[in-house]
Amino acid sequence: MKYYFGIDVGGTTVKQGLFDEDYNLLERWEIRTDKTRGGRNIIPKIAGSLEDCLERNKISKKDIIATGMGVPGPVTKDGFINKAVNLGWGRFNLKKEAKKSLGVPVFCGNDANLAGYGEFHFGSGKEFDNIIFITIGTGIGGCIINEGKILIGTDGSGAEIGHIHVKDDEEDSCGCGNKGCLEQYTSAKGIGRTARRMLATTDEPSVLRDSVINAKIIFDAIKEGDKLAIKVGEEFGRYLGCAMANLANITNPQAIILGGGVSKAGDILLTFLEEPFKKNVFHACKNVKLLCASIKNDAGIYGAAKLAGDSINNK
Amino acid sequence: MKYYFGIDVGGTTVKQGLFDEDYNLLERWEIRTDKTRGGRNIIPKIAGSLEDCLERNKISKKDIIATGMGVPGPVTKDGFINKAVNLGWGRFNLKKEAKKSLGVPVFCGNDANLAGYGEFHFGSGKEFDNIIFITIGTGIGGCIINEGKILIGTDGSGAEIGHIHVKDDEEDSCGCGNKGCLEQYTSAKGIGRTARRMLATTDEPSVLRDSVINAKIIFDAIKEGDKLAIKVGEEFGRYLGCAMANLANITNPQAIILGGGVSKAGDILLTFLEEPFKKNVFHACKNVKLLCASIKNDAGIYGAAKLAGDSINNK
């Protein structure tokens, strides 16, 4: 029997999966992301953890076909990473470094791209050839898949949709330094910011007044019919729905799939997005399906394993 | 010697080119687009015109490797067209129909996509792998090329960038039925509209007051330093530059190339685009080159011939 590893390196934890040749997940575990020494421990710690897994499962390293690895930063087609600020990484050949440390072929990609690739092959995207995947978490990430291939882009920065400019008169800066980025209104952080702003400028009663504001609390309040929370949802929908329409006009996909932490709110998300999407999309793209992701947290390790398999088989 | 035909079907004229195997343009001619009978005469008239060309040049039809054809509407990967309103066409298998009529293999694409493909291979794009091509004419069209391939999209509507939503409080409708489309502010028609609106709302002196307003007159006035015309250019630049930044964030190209009638104004166009582009683009995409097209009117026939060659050779 032959195997793949799928790895999803995040700022806090590294998710790891052992997959068989048909991409069935056999074991799933996590380790803490060791960010000491400018992130230089991350790859060696992953290597050690994979060795433990082999031992635990009595698998020989020569039966690992390849390993896929998603990381929070731009990764070029050739496996170069150009800064992953959350890990402390600068620019280096991640593919080469990881192969040296792990002792098996490694194929790398951006984490949002690999989560999208996982959803595309094994989740809500599996019936389609062309999708856009949007992850709504602390920030907004994206993945464009066209004719089955990830649009990686020149520097590995394809689908940086969190930094689409959507508002001209914004006074606060986005983390990227620009003003008026999509992420400022539609990420978990952005949704919280909208709620706090609305609470401060009206006297409207709301269950949110006595809460520690976060996206989950807000969507729970929406489900209970809280009017102010619904207005927060509508503003979220206006920005994201319009951006999704523009993305549809640009890449003409069959479906747009929403993943990331905020998507756990479920289909209620779509109720805020459908109207602004339909209002702004070009008529030829009106039939795009809007869906929630189905694999959720593990999409990244599935996508990483599949990338490894497709790359080694030159697909 | 073997040959390709490259054909660019427009609403007024059909541009045609005879190319050798290395895509050198040997002869170029035009015929009027015959839009009678719901556009049913267009393909037969093209067929007749190509026969004349063969006779003129004493070329046997068996030496035509293939023909490429660009048309003003969405064309799927399989050669289906889904409405070309300017030609009166509905939905049919254009590739099959044209092959039957012309007697040689035909490969079809959207006209903006094929103009972009021409610029990519033979014009300002030839050093790059990933570009965005924007045609600024009566409307706004686009072409996204990623790793050398046109992003066609599910229904052949990839890169419908003229209908990106860019303004919320627009009262006039775009030709597509939506309100606030990029095309309404940045096409030749849109630039003229901006100028007329500015002339009506101020008393500012301007050479435009005594002119029949069109994009050429406006850019000529800009070159002469006309202040009101410069404001028109700035508004054009604000909308298009920001949209270009968003497109760069989405597909991460090496260059964005401007073609179409309005691009004949030359590099002065870029002076209005550079600042809003830089202001809104994500830092990882800041190095994107902004360029004017170099092939101009013939990009479409070059791109059509190249599509024919690449398709027949399965590239």
Side-chain angles (χ1 to χ4, degrees):
Chain A
M1 203 150 141
K2 301 279 182 183
Y3 305 88
Y4 297 109
F5 282 126
I7 302 172
D8 185 4
V9 184
T12 314
T13 61
V14 180
K15 297 189 189 94
Q16 288 162 294
L18 174 70
F19 292 82
D20 68 16
E21 265 180 290
D22 298 321
Y23 306 104
N24 293 303
L25 180 57
L26 305 176
E27 195 192 337
R28 181 202 184 286
W29 74 105
E30 293 185 10
I31 58 171
R32 209 173 50 77
T33 308
D34 180 349
K35 291 192 284 191
T36 57
R37 299 179 60 237
R40 258 170 291 184
N41 290 344
I42 294 173
I43 300 292
K45 289 260 165 99
I46 290 172
S49 175
L50 296 183
E51 295 284 356
D52 293 347
C53 169
L54 294 178
E55 210 173 295
R56 235 175 8 249
N57 291 283
K58 303 193 192 322
I59 294 172
S60 157
K61 194 182 265 187
K62 69 170 177 37
D63 290 327
I64 302 296
I65 306 169
T67 293
M69 189 182 286
V71 296
V75 181
T76 67
K77 222 175 134 58
D78 302 327
F80 272 93
I81 177 141
N82 191 7
K83 276 192 195 164
V85 280
N86 288 344
L87 307 179
W89 286 356
R91 180 177 159 79
F92 65 100
N93 190 329
L94 173 63
K95 183 180 169 174
K96 213 167 132 185
E97 288 289 312
K99 186 186 171 179
K100 202 158 54 178
S101 184
L102 271 53
V104 294
V106 181
F107 299 92
C108 309
N110 170 267
D111 55 357
N113 279 352
L114 295 198
Y117 204 55
E119 278 294 335
F120 175 73
H121 279 289
F122 307 109
S124 299
K126 66 184 172 194
E127 292 165 34
F128 307 115
D129 302 310
N130 307 319
I131 66 159
I132 296 170
F133 174 76
I134 300 177
T135 117
I136 316 172
T138 319
I140 295 279
C143 171
I144 294 165
I145 295 182
N146 182 57
E147 298 183 27
K149 302 262 181 216
I150 300 170
L151 192 157
I152 296 170
T154 306
D155 313 292
S157 292
E160 271 296 355
I161 61 181
H163 303 285
I164 293 176
H165 179 80
V166 297
K167 192 166 189 281
D168 281 335
D169 58 352
E170 177 61 55
E171 289 177 6
D172 297 343
S173 289
C174 177
C176 77
N178 291 348
K179 288 177 180 176
C181 292
L182 180 63
E183 191 163 293
Q184 290 182 276
Y185 316 98
T186 62
S187 65
K189 214 170 136 186
I191 298 167
R193 177 174 168 262
T194 301
R196 274 187 296 272
R197 215 183 47 223
M198 283 193 184
L199 287 167
T201 53
T202 70
D203 290 330
E204 209 176 315
S206 168
V207 297
L208 298 178
R209 292 204 182 271
D210 308 315
S211 314
V212 180
I213 304 291
N214 63 40
K216 187 181 179 314
I217 298 280
I218 293 165
F219 280 99
D220 285 348
I222 288 171
K223 287 173 191 167
E224 286 162 26
D226 186 274
K227 283 191 183 153
L228 190 135
I230 290 170
K231 282 184 198 158
V232 175
E234 286 167 351
E235 182 149 329
F236 157 83
R238 248 193 316 278
Y239 283 109
L240 189 57
C242 179
M244 286 162 61
N246 286 349
L247 285 163
N249 295 350
I250 293 166
T251 75
N252 186 207
Q254 290 150 303
I256 298 178
I257 298 169
L258 303 173
V262 174
S263 76
K264 288 179 188 162
D267 287 348
I268 190 135
L269 225 60
L270 301 176
T271 62
F272 293 108
L273 294 166
E274 275 158 4
E275 196 193 304
F277 177 81
K278 285 253 151 90
K279 187 180 160 201
N280 293 302
V281 75
F282 187 55
H283 56 79
C285 302
K286 271 210 163 38
N287 295 326
V288 175
K289 289 192 170 60
L290 309 186
L291 304 168
C292 283
S294 62
I295 310 187
K296 307 255 152 71
N297 286 339
D298 289 339
I301 58 174
Y302 272 96
K306 183 70 170 126
L307 175 78
D310 287 351
S311 301
I312 207 103
N313 297 313
N314 278 316
K315 267 190 197 164
Chain B
M1 204 149 139
K2 300 278 183 184
Y3 306 88
Y4 297 110
F5 283 126
I7 302 172
D8 185 4
V9 184
T12 314
T13 60
V14 180
K15 296 189 189 95
Q16 288 161 295
L18 174 71
F19 293 83
D20 69 17
E21 267 181 289
D22 299 321
Y23 305 105
N24 293 304
L25 180 57
L26 305 177
E27 194 191 337
R28 182 202 184 286
W29 75 105
E30 293 184 11
I31 59 171
R32 208 172 50 78
T33 308
D34 179 349
K35 292 192 283 190
T36 58
R37 299 179 60 237
R40 258 171 289 183
N41 290 344
I42 294 173
I43 300 292
K45 289 261 165 101
I46 290 172
S49 175
L50 296 182
E51 295 284 355
D52 292 347
C53 169
L54 294 178
E55 210 174 295
R56 235 179 2 252
N57 291 282
K58 302 193 192 322
I59 294 172
S60 157
K61 194 181 262 186
K62 71 172 174 35
D63 290 326
I64 301 297
I65 306 169
T67 294
M69 189 182 288
V71 296
V75 181
T76 68
K77 225 175 131 57
D78 302 326
F80 272 92
I81 177 142
N82 192 6
K83 275 192 196 166
V85 279
N86 289 344
L87 307 180
W89 287 356
R91 181 176 159 79
F92 65 99
N93 190 329
L94 173 63
K95 183 180 168 174
K96 213 167 131 186
E97 288 289 313
K99 186 186 170 179
K100 201 158 55 177
S101 184
L102 272 54
V104 294
V106 181
F107 299 93
C108 310
N110 169 267
D111 55 357
N113 279 352
L114 296 198
Y117 204 55
E119 277 295 334
F120 175 73
H121 279 289
F122 307 109
S124 300
K126 66 184 171 192
E127 292 165 34
F128 308 114
D129 301 311
N130 308 318
I131 65 159
I132 296 170
F133 174 76
I134 299 177
T135 115
I136 316 171
T138 318
I140 296 279
C143 171
I144 295 165
I145 294 181
N146 182 57
E147 297 184 27
K149 302 262 181 217
I150 300 170
L151 192 158
I152 296 170
T154 306
D155 312 292
S157 293
E160 271 295 354
I161 60 182
H163 303 285
I164 294 175
H165 179 80
V166 297
K167 193 165 189 279
D168 281 335
D169 58 353
E170 177 61 56
E171 290 177 4
D172 296 343
S173 290
C174 176
C176 77
N178 290 348
K179 287 176 181 178
C181 293
L182 180 62
E183 191 163 293
Q184 290 182 275
Y185 316 98
T186 61
S187 65
K189 213 170 137 186
I191 298 167
R193 177 174 168 262
T194 302
R196 273 187 295 272
R197 217 183 46 224
M198 284 193 184
L199 287 167
T201 53
T202 70
D203 289 331
E204 209 177 314
S206 167
V207 297
L208 299 178
R209 292 203 182 274
D210 307 316
S211 314
V212 179
I213 304 291
N214 64 40
K216 185 179 181 315
I217 297 281
I218 293 166
F219 280 100
D220 285 348
I222 288 170
K223 288 173 191 167
E224 286 162 27
D226 186 274
K227 283 188 182 153
L228 190 136
I230 290 171
K231 282 183 198 159
V232 175
E234 285 167 352
E235 183 150 329
F236 158 83
R238 247 194 318 277
Y239 284 108
L240 189 57
C242 179
M244 285 162 60
N246 286 349
L247 285 163
N249 294 350
I250 293 165
T251 75
N252 186 207
Q254 291 150 301
I256 298 177
I257 298 170
L258 304 173
V262 173
S263 76
K264 288 179 187 161
D267 288 347
I268 190 136
L269 225 61
L270 302 176
T271 62
F272 293 108
L273 295 167
E274 275 158 3
E275 197 193 303
F277 178 80
K278 285 252 149 89
K279 187 179 161 204
N280 293 303
V281 76
F282 187 55
H283 55 79
C285 302
K286 272 212 162 33
N287 295 325
V288 175
K289 289 193 169 61
L290 310 186
L291 304 168
C292 283
S294 63
I295 310 187
K296 309 254 153 69
N297 286 339
D298 289 339
I301 57 173
Y302 272 96
K306 183 72 170 124
L307 174 80
D310 287 351
S311 302
I312 207 102
N313 297 313
N314 277 316
K315 268 191 198 163

